[in-house]
Amino acid sequence: MPSKRLLSGMQPTGGAGLHIGNLEGALRQWVRLQDEYEMYCCIVDWHALTTMYDNTEAIAPKAREVAAEYIAGGLDPQKCAIFLQSHVKEHAELHLLLSMVTPLGWLERVPTFKEKRDMLDERGGGDESVSYGLLGYPVLQAADILAYRAHAVPVGKDQAAHLELSREIARRFNRLYGEVFPEPQAVINEMTAVVPGLDGRKMSKSLGNAIYLSDDADTVAKKVMSAFTTPTKIKKTDPGVPENCVVCQLRRLYDPENYSLAWEECRSGARGCVQSKRELIEILNAELEPIRRRRKELLDDLAQLEEILRQGAERARATAADTMTAVRQAMKLR
Ligand code: TRP
């Protein structure tokens, strides 16, 4: 059993679940990390409440879908504990205790707080839509990480400020009460594949340019047929620029052994975009089909998925409960 611990967190929010940008940019890395670390994958349903407090019924089904997609994408519940944050109450206790040693000013300065405050404002919620819980979002995240005394957290750029705050909270706690927490380190994804979206911008849920794990083969085909290619390649014989073409980029990502011939034919005008799209559809669907099938099996047997989550929470709770014993002792709470 590896001795270093790693915690990853994902929010059960948003529309269609994971897209292939998440799959290539994050999940593939986690699948590798599960062999190197004692790994905890937490689906942070309480965090979702910070923005979905008026739509809570959507959270629980979404959490199951996220779990199914992570498992279908290769996380192995035997190797890593996959669980819901709300199933492990230790997160709440630690959040409360950490909130007492987190200066208000640290939280007010977090850039994501300002962004979310403005977003809720634009939704027309007014002053009362910004809760105490939203301000405390990074403290809850620190509790998620520190409850496992995690050494490592895989994070993207967008989470750097949150992780830094977790480290500061850990340091402050250790200074006040003695060494309980290691400072969690960011695991940067060295093999990051930035997956282009269908319109050439970065693939993103909010831009409407994504291919989802939940898309069926026909939907994938339709989306690929609509993807941006070289704007000046109108006729098949016009030269293409594969470096600037979404279809060619995806081809390289999903067909790393053989893409170069297709690229040369595109460049020389020996092939047109329609042929490139048809071939990409075949390649993508072959790659996604096993994930799609596994995802569906898991969601068709919710009782089994519930059991996986129950066992994950049990393993997580054992570790988190140990930490809480150390925390209470350090704080002289009895
Ligand atoms: N804030 C993270 C996000 O939006 C989710 C998250 C919550 C998280 N707790 C975490 C990520 C702990 C890593 C570790 O993606």
Side-chain angles (χ1 to χ4, degrees):
M1 185 68 153
S3 61
K4 290 249 171 185
R5 290 195 189 137
L6 176 141
L7 179 118
S8 65
M10 45 264 178
Q11 274 210 57
T13 48
L18 291 191
H19 54 63
I20 61 173
N22 305 131
L23 176 68
E24 305 306 334
L27 186 54
R28 300 268 194 224
Q29 182 203 23
W30 297 6
V31 171
R32 289 192 299 275
L33 292 171
Q34 68 184 344
D35 293 316
E36 287 169 45
Y37 287 92
E38 179 183 326
M39 183 155 165
Y40 297 86
C41 288
C42 181
I43 300 167
V44 295
D45 51 346
W46 280 335
H47 275 106
L49 290 170
T50 57
T51 48
M52 292 172 75
Y53 60 86
D54 54 356
N55 185 23
T56 55
E57 70 280 359
I59 297 174
K62 196 82 218 166
R64 273 68 186 173
E65 208 179 312
V66 171
E69 293 187 340
Y70 280 95
I71 297 168
L75 285 185
D76 177 352
Q78 300 298 326
K79 293 183 185 165
C80 96
I82 301 172
F83 63 99
L84 265 61
Q85 183 186 38
S86 68
H87 291 179
V88 182
K89 311 297 182 209
E90 282 76 4
H91 292 234
E93 184 185 357
L94 187 55
H95 168 252
L96 179 126
L97 297 175
L98 296 178
S99 78
M100 305 299 172
V101 302
T102 306
L104 191 53
W106 290 6
L107 298 176
E108 287 166 339
R109 279 199 298 273
V110 174
T112 46
F113 172 64
K114 297 182 193 160
E115 280 161 28
K116 284 182 189 155
R117 187 184 52 195
D118 296 346
M119 193 252 307
L120 286 165
D121 233 25
E122 274 162 32
R123 273 208 238 152
D127 268 3
E128 294 187 351
S129 65
V130 179
S131 67
Y132 165 57
L134 181 68
L135 181 68
Y137 182 110
V139 185
L140 184 55
Q141 180 159 348
D144 298 336
I145 298 167
L146 300 179
Y148 302 91
R149 288 181 272 192
H151 304 90
V153 183
V155 287
K157 274 201 217 81
D158 62 320
Q159 292 298 310
H162 284 157
L163 187 64
E164 193 43 45
L165 199 71
S166 296
R167 294 158 56 84
E168 281 175 281
I169 293 173
R171 279 198 288 272
R172 188 139 205 257
F173 184 100
N174 289 344
R175 234 180 3 254
L176 284 164
Y177 308 114
E179 274 309 300
V180 173
F181 302 117
E183 268 181 49
Q185 308 289 326
V187 184
I188 307 293
N189 194 347
E190 70 297 342
M191 296 178 61
T192 3
V194 174
V195 179
L198 299 164
D199 58 2
R201 294 182 288 176
K202 185 178 178 207
M203 187 172 285
S204 156
K205 221 178 250 186
S206 54
L207 295 175
N209 64 1
I211 294 174
Y212 291 95
L213 300 187
S214 57
D215 286 342
D216 61 21
D218 285 347
T219 307
V220 171
K222 282 204 195 79
K223 286 184 172 178
V224 170
M225 291 313 287
S226 77
F228 283 29
T229 56
T230 305
T232 51
K233 187 170 168 69
I234 316 280
K235 298 191 300 295
K236 170 182 153 182
T237 49
D238 293 334
V241 185
E243 289 76 10
N244 297 329
C245 163
V246 172
V247 174
C248 293
Q249 292 298 318
L250 290 174
R251 173 70 178 253
R252 182 172 63 178
L253 187 63
Y254 283 97
D255 186 20
E257 317 268 283
N258 301 312
Y259 76 95
S260 49
L261 179 60
W263 273 36
E264 286 327 306
E265 289 176 357
C266 164
R267 241 193 267 283
S268 70
R271 64 154 63 210
C273 300
V274 173
Q275 184 189 348
S276 294
K277 287 178 170 179
R278 293 221 169 97
E279 289 174 7
L280 178 65
I281 290 167
E282 293 298 311
I283 292 167
L284 258 183
N285 274 329
E287 179 84 18
L288 295 176
E289 188 48 35
I291 301 180
R292 259 189 314 245
R293 201 177 324 117
R294 185 79 184 109
R295 175 185 181 280
K296 184 171 180 324
E297 278 167 14
L298 286 155
L299 289 172
D300 283 346
D301 187 354
L302 282 176
Q304 188 212 352
L305 188 58
E306 227 45 65
E307 180 55 21
I308 291 172
L309 293 173
R310 195 193 62 73
Q311 287 178 17
E314 198 168 86
R315 265 162 59 200
R317 195 178 302 118
T319 305
D322 271 356
T323 301
M324 289 317 297
T325 303
V327 165
R328 286 184 218 110
Q329 220 163 30
M331 294 180 78
K332 314 220 170 348
L333 300 170
R334 304 183 255 150

Coordinates of all heavy atoms in Angstrom, one line a residue, residues 204-247:
S204 N -14.9 23.6 -23.0 CA -15.4 24.0 -21.7 C -17.0 23.9 -21.7 O -17.6 24.1 -22.7 CB -15.0 25.5 -21.5 OG -15.9 26.1 -20.6
K205 N -17.4 23.5 -20.5 CA -18.9 23.3 -20.3 C -19.6 24.6 -20.7 O -20.6 24.6 -21.4 CB -19.1 23.0 -18.9 CG -20.2 22.0 -18.6 CD -20.2 21.7 -17.1 CE -19.7 20.4 -16.7 NZ -19.9 20.0 -15.3
S206 N -19.1 25.7 -20.2 CA -19.8 27.0 -20.3 C -19.8 27.5 -21.8 O -20.6 28.4 -22.1 CB -19.2 28.0 -19.4 OG -17.9 28.1 -19.5
L207 N -18.9 27.0 -22.6 CA -18.8 27.6 -24.0 C -19.7 26.8 -25.0 O -19.8 27.2 -26.1 CB -17.3 27.6 -24.5 CG -16.4 28.5 -23.7 CD1 -15.0 28.4 -24.2 CD2 -16.8 30.0 -23.8
G208 N -20.3 25.7 -24.5 CA -21.1 24.9 -25.4 C -20.4 24.3 -26.6 O -20.9 24.1 -27.6
N209 N -19.1 23.9 -26.4 CA -18.3 23.4 -27.5 C -17.7 22.0 -27.1 O -16.6 21.7 -27.6 CB -17.1 24.4 -27.8 CG -16.2 24.6 -26.6 OD1 -16.4 24.0 -25.6 ND2 -15.2 25.4 -26.8
A210 N -18.4 21.3 -26.2 CA -17.8 20.1 -25.7 C -18.4 18.8 -26.2 O -19.6 18.8 -26.6 CB -17.9 20.2 -24.1
I211 N -17.6 17.8 -26.2 CA -18.1 16.4 -26.4 C -18.1 15.7 -25.0 O -17.1 15.6 -24.4 CB -17.2 15.7 -27.4 CG1 -17.2 16.3 -28.8 CG2 -17.5 14.2 -27.5 CD1 -16.3 15.8 -29.8
Y212 N -19.3 15.2 -24.7 CA -19.4 14.6 -23.3 C -19.3 13.1 -23.3 O -19.7 12.4 -24.3 CB -20.8 15.0 -22.7 CG -20.9 16.5 -22.4 CD1 -21.4 17.4 -23.3 CD2 -20.3 17.0 -21.2 CE1 -21.4 18.8 -23.1 CE2 -20.3 18.3 -21.0 CZ -20.9 19.2 -21.9 OH -20.8 20.6 -21.6
L213 N -18.9 12.6 -22.2 CA -18.9 11.1 -22.0 C -20.4 10.6 -22.2 O -20.6 9.4 -22.5 CB -18.4 10.7 -20.7 CG -16.9 11.1 -20.4 CD1 -16.4 10.5 -19.1 CD2 -16.0 10.8 -21.5
S214 N -21.3 11.4 -21.9 CA -22.7 11.0 -22.0 C -23.3 11.1 -23.4 O -24.4 10.7 -23.6 CB -23.6 11.8 -21.0 OG -23.5 13.1 -21.3
D215 N -22.6 11.7 -24.3 CA -23.0 11.8 -25.7 C -23.0 10.4 -26.4 O -22.1 9.7 -26.3 CB -22.1 12.7 -26.5 CG -22.3 14.2 -26.2 OD1 -23.4 14.5 -25.6 OD2 -21.4 15.0 -26.5
D216 N -24.1 10.1 -27.1 CA -24.1 8.8 -27.8 C -23.4 9.0 -29.1 O -23.0 10.1 -29.5 CB -25.6 8.3 -28.0 CG -26.4 9.2 -28.8 OD1 -25.9 10.0 -29.6 OD2 -27.7 9.1 -28.7
A217 N -23.2 7.8 -29.8 CA -22.4 7.8 -31.0 C -22.9 8.8 -32.1 O -22.1 9.5 -32.7 CB -22.3 6.4 -31.6
D218 N -24.2 8.9 -32.2 CA -24.8 9.9 -33.2 C -24.5 11.3 -32.8 O -24.2 12.1 -33.7 CB -26.3 9.7 -33.3 CG -26.6 8.4 -34.1 OD1 -25.7 7.9 -34.7 OD2 -27.8 8.0 -34.1
T219 N -24.6 11.6 -31.5 CA -24.4 13.0 -31.1 C -22.9 13.3 -31.3 O -22.6 14.4 -31.8 CB -24.7 13.1 -29.6 OG1 -26.0 12.6 -29.4 CG2 -24.6 14.5 -29.1
V220 N -22.0 12.4 -31.0 CA -20.6 12.7 -31.3 C -20.4 12.9 -32.8 O -19.7 13.9 -33.2 CB -19.7 11.5 -30.8 CG1 -18.3 11.6 -31.3 CG2 -19.7 11.3 -29.3
A221 N -21.0 12.1 -33.6 CA -20.9 12.3 -35.1 C -21.4 13.7 -35.5 O -20.7 14.4 -36.2 CB -21.7 11.2 -35.8
K222 N -22.5 14.1 -35.0 CA -23.1 15.4 -35.4 C -22.2 16.5 -34.9 O -21.9 17.5 -35.7 CB -24.5 15.6 -34.7 CG -25.6 14.9 -35.4 CD -26.9 15.6 -35.2 CE -28.1 14.6 -35.6 NZ -28.3 13.6 -34.5
K223 N -21.7 16.4 -33.7 CA -20.8 17.4 -33.2 C -19.5 17.5 -34.0 O -19.1 18.6 -34.3 CB -20.5 17.2 -31.7 CG -21.6 17.5 -30.8 CD -21.3 17.3 -29.3 CE -22.4 17.8 -28.4 NZ -22.1 17.6 -27.0
V224 N -18.9 16.4 -34.3 CA -17.7 16.4 -35.1 C -17.9 17.0 -36.5 O -17.1 17.8 -37.0 CB -17.0 15.0 -35.2 CG1 -15.8 15.0 -36.2 CG2 -16.5 14.6 -33.8
M225 N -19.1 16.7 -37.1 CA -19.4 17.2 -38.4 C -19.5 18.8 -38.4 O -19.2 19.4 -39.4 CB -20.6 16.6 -39.0 CG -20.6 15.2 -39.4 SD -19.1 14.6 -40.4 CE -19.5 15.3 -42.0
S226 N -19.8 19.3 -37.2 CA -20.0 20.8 -37.1 C -18.7 21.5 -36.6 O -18.7 22.7 -36.5 CB -21.1 21.1 -36.1 OG -20.6 20.9 -34.8
A227 N -17.6 20.7 -36.4 CA -16.4 21.3 -35.8 C -15.7 22.2 -36.8 O -15.8 22.1 -38.0 CB -15.4 20.2 -35.4
F228 N -15.0 23.2 -36.3 CA -14.2 24.2 -37.1 C -13.0 23.5 -37.7 O -12.3 22.7 -37.0 CB -13.7 25.3 -36.2 CG -14.7 26.4 -35.9 CD1 -16.1 26.0 -35.8 CD2 -14.3 27.7 -35.7 CE1 -17.0 27.0 -35.4 CE2 -15.3 28.7 -35.3 CZ -16.6 28.3 -35.2
T229 N -12.7 23.8 -39.0 CA -11.5 23.3 -39.6 C -10.7 24.5 -40.1 O -10.9 25.6 -39.6 CB -11.8 22.3 -40.7 OG1 -12.7 22.9 -41.7 CG2 -12.5 21.0 -40.2
T230 N -9.9 24.3 -41.1 CA -9.1 25.4 -41.7 C -10.1 26.3 -42.5 O -10.7 25.8 -43.5 CB -8.0 24.9 -42.6 OG1 -7.2 24.0 -41.9 CG2 -7.2 26.1 -43.1
P231 N -10.3 27.6 -42.1 CA -11.3 28.4 -42.7 C -11.1 28.6 -44.2 O -12.1 28.8 -45.0 CB -11.2 29.7 -42.0 CG -10.2 29.6 -40.9 CD -9.6 28.3 -41.0
T232 N -9.8 28.6 -44.7 CA -9.5 28.8 -46.1 C -9.5 27.5 -46.9 O -9.3 27.5 -48.1 CB -8.1 29.4 -46.2 OG1 -7.2 28.7 -45.5 CG2 -8.1 30.9 -45.7
K233 N -9.8 26.4 -46.3 CA -9.9 25.1 -47.0 C -11.4 24.9 -47.3 O -12.2 24.3 -46.5 CB -9.4 24.0 -46.1 CG -9.2 22.6 -46.9 CD -8.4 21.6 -46.0 CE -8.5 20.2 -46.5 NZ -7.8 20.0 -47.7
I234 N -11.8 25.4 -48.5 CA -13.2 25.3 -48.9 C -13.4 24.0 -49.8 O -14.3 23.2 -49.5 CB -13.6 26.5 -49.8 CG1 -13.0 27.8 -49.2 CG2 -15.1 26.5 -50.0 CD1 -13.8 28.4 -48.1
K235 N -12.5 23.9 -50.8 CA -12.6 22.7 -51.6 C -11.6 21.6 -51.0 O -10.6 22.0 -50.4 CB -12.2 23.0 -53.1 CG -13.1 24.0 -53.7 CD -12.8 24.1 -55.2 CE -11.5 24.5 -55.6 NZ -11.0 25.9 -55.3
K236 N -11.9 20.4 -51.3 CA -11.0 19.3 -50.9 C -9.5 19.6 -51.2 O -8.6 19.3 -50.4 CB -11.4 18.0 -51.5 CG -10.5 16.8 -51.3 CD -11.0 15.6 -52.1 CE -9.8 14.7 -52.4 NZ -10.2 13.5 -53.1
T237 N -9.2 20.2 -52.4 CA -7.9 20.3 -52.9 C -7.2 21.6 -52.3 O -6.0 21.7 -52.4 CB -7.8 20.5 -54.4 OG1 -8.8 21.4 -54.8 CG2 -8.1 19.1 -55.1
D238 N -7.9 22.4 -51.6 CA -7.3 23.6 -50.9 C -6.4 23.0 -49.8 O -6.7 22.1 -49.1 CB -8.3 24.5 -50.3 CG -9.2 25.2 -51.4 OD1 -8.7 25.4 -52.5 OD2 -10.3 25.6 -51.0
P239 N -5.2 23.7 -49.6 CA -4.3 23.2 -48.5 C -4.9 23.5 -47.1 O -5.4 24.6 -46.9 CB -3.0 24.0 -48.7 CG -3.4 25.2 -49.5 CD -4.7 24.9 -50.3
G240 N -4.8 22.5 -46.2 CA -5.2 22.7 -44.8 C -4.1 23.1 -43.9 O -2.9 22.9 -44.3
V241 N -4.4 23.6 -42.7 CA -3.4 23.9 -41.7 C -3.7 23.1 -40.5 O -4.5 23.6 -39.6 CB -3.3 25.4 -41.4 CG1 -2.2 25.7 -40.4 CG2 -3.2 26.2 -42.7
P242 N -3.2 21.8 -40.4 CA -3.6 21.0 -39.3 C -3.4 21.6 -37.9 O -4.2 21.3 -37.0 CB -2.8 19.7 -39.5 CG -2.4 19.7 -40.9 CD -2.3 21.2 -41.3
E243 N -2.3 22.4 -37.8 CA -2.0 23.0 -36.5 C -3.2 23.9 -36.0 O -3.3 24.1 -34.8 CB -0.8 23.8 -36.6 CG 0.5 23.0 -36.7 CD 0.7 22.5 -38.2 OE1 0.0 22.9 -39.1 OE2 1.6 21.6 -38.3
N244 N -4.0 24.4 -36.9 CA -5.1 25.3 -36.5 C -6.4 24.7 -36.7 O -7.4 25.4 -36.7 CB -5.0 26.6 -37.3 CG -3.7 27.3 -37.0 OD1 -3.2 27.3 -35.9 ND2 -3.2 28.1 -38.0
C245 N -6.5 23.4 -36.8 CA -7.8 22.7 -37.1 C -8.2 21.8 -36.0 O -7.4 20.9 -35.6 CB -7.6 21.9 -38.4 SG -8.9 20.7 -38.7
V246 N -9.4 22.0 -35.5 CA -9.9 21.2 -34.4 C -9.9 19.7 -34.7 O -9.4 18.9 -33.9 CB -11.3 21.6 -34.0 CG1 -11.9 20.7 -32.9 CG2 -11.3 23.1 -33.5
V247 N -10.3 19.4 -35.9 CA -10.4 18.0 -36.3 C -9.1 17.3 -36.3 O -8.9 16.2 -35.8 CB -11.2 17.8 -37.6 CG1 -11.2 16.4 -38.1 CG2 -12.6 18.4 -37.5

